[in-house]
Amino acid sequence: MFNIYCDESCHLENDHISVMILGALWFPINKKEEIFQRLKEIKQVHGLPAHFEIKWNKVSPAKSRFYLDLVDYFFDDDDLHYRALIVPDKNELDHDRYDQDHDDFYYKMYFDLLKVILDPESGYNIYLDIKDTLGWEKVEKLSEVLQNNHYDYSREIVQKVQQVHSDKVIPLQLADLLTGAIGYHNRGLKDNQGKVDLVNRIIKRSGYNLTQTTLLRETKFNLFRWKANYYDG
């Protein structure tokens, strides 16, 4: 059994930001308490309270060491895995052509993000950061599509898809950090030295430039750069 924690960066249609990133962090359920405890310990080492929210938007030069330690912990722990889907330019999207709106596209991308992670020999609980108050029906649809794609009619593989508040779920905060870093780098930003240092550490530890698709079998830090003609085959 695995828990998967999903987050997004710049997913809104009219936010005047071209790049969109979806990210998923996962690990075996039996490692949950150990991982939660280790993340709390890293906070304590840096003099931060247990309830301090790890968040990409909070990264600054003053807390750079704390966030670098979080990145190192992710890469040092073999039980932690991450995959991101990169939409490089939302301006290229043609929703009318595929008879969809941006929300439909958003959940299609979540399907593409998650379908590679799911192993038919395992079971999964999937937790998504709450996007809006209208997301419950779409989340149920995502669950249904994932289950049907894997012939999982008895829900043995995809056992749960649920929205949660990220400030209450610490692994989701780590997913936010990694996803935010990938989005920052793909936007070509360099206005915050703390964030630049974090991106450079991820590039060094992963061995990837954070802009290109990795091998499909990469399980530690997997990236997929989506193309606008993807559904044309």
Side-chain angles (χ1 to χ4, degrees):
M1 281 294 300
F2 291 83
N3 279 355
I4 305 177
Y5 300 87
C6 302
D7 196 46
E8 69 283 319
S9 177
C10 310
H11 63 279
L12 299 177
E13 183 173 15
N14 299 310
D15 57 7
H16 307 294
I17 299 172
S18 60
V19 174
M20 168 178 161
I21 312 290
L22 300 180
L25 178 86
W26 74 97
F27 55 78
I29 286 180
N30 63 5
K31 296 292 184 177
K32 178 180 174 180
E33 293 305 319
E34 175 186 322
I35 290 168
F36 274 49
Q37 183 59 34
R38 186 69 189 100
L39 291 170
K40 290 177 181 177
E41 288 171 357
I42 295 172
K43 291 181 182 181
Q44 291 172 355
V45 166
H46 291 274
L48 299 170
H51 63 267
F52 180 83
E53 185 178 6
I54 301 164
K55 200 168 182 63
W56 172 253
N57 288 339
K58 291 184 177 181
V59 174
S60 67
K63 287 190 172 62
S64 180
R65 185 67 257 172
F66 166 63
Y67 287 106
L68 289 172
D69 282 353
L70 289 172
V71 167
D72 284 338
Y73 168 60
F74 166 79
F75 283 102
D76 290 339
D77 191 327
D78 292 339
D79 292 315
L80 290 169
H81 308 272
Y82 177 81
R83 171 173 161 85
L85 183 148
I86 304 164
V87 177
D89 191 352
K90 289 182 290 189
N91 296 316
E92 294 182 358
L93 302 178
D94 186 355
H95 293 321
D96 291 340
R97 179 179 181 183
Y98 297 102
D99 191 27
Q100 65 186 15
D101 59 22
H102 191 71
D103 271 349
D104 293 330
F105 173 77
Y106 172 85
Y107 285 96
K108 285 179 180 179
M109 292 302 95
Y110 254 126
F111 170 74
D112 284 339
L113 172 74
L114 293 168
K115 69 181 182 181
V116 173
I117 297 172
L118 303 181
D119 180 342
E121 300 300 320
S122 301
Y124 298 86
N125 297 320
I126 301 171
Y127 300 97
L128 283 70
D129 190 19
I130 289 181
K131 174 174 173 277
D132 55 49
T133 57
L134 303 177
W136 297 105
E137 182 178 340
K138 294 270 178 58
V139 167
E140 184 61 30
K141 182 64 176 179
L142 175 61
S143 176
E144 178 185 328
V145 170
L146 286 169
Q147 288 158 354
N148 290 344
N149 184 68
H150 288 78
Y151 305 101
D152 183 29
Y153 305 119
S154 60
R155 298 198 171 197
E156 294 180 359
I157 302 172
V158 181
Q159 299 188 8
K160 180 195 298 183
V161 180
Q162 179 180 333
Q163 289 185 309
V164 294
H165 291 281
S166 61
D167 60 335
K168 307 296 184 185
V169 184
I170 193 168
L172 191 52
Q173 297 170 29
L174 185 55
D176 173 275
L177 186 69
L178 296 172
T179 303
I182 294 170
Y184 186 82
H185 185 62
N186 277 269
R187 292 171 63 193
L189 300 176
K190 296 182 181 295
D191 58 348
N192 180 316
Q193 190 58 47
K195 292 183 175 181
V196 171
D197 291 345
L198 203 64
V199 166
N200 289 337
R201 180 62 63 88
I202 295 172
I203 290 173
K204 180 179 179 179
R205 293 299 308 266
S206 69
Y208 299 118
N209 64 16
L210 309 190
T211 62
Q212 301 299 322
T213 298
T214 64
L215 290 174
L216 188 63
R217 65 175 178 266
E218 168 62 62
T219 59
K220 180 63 179 180
F221 195 81
N222 185 293
L223 301 174
F224 173 58
R225 186 178 179 89
W226 184 86
K227 295 181 180 179
N229 63 351
Y230 179 63
Y231 287 111
D232 294 334

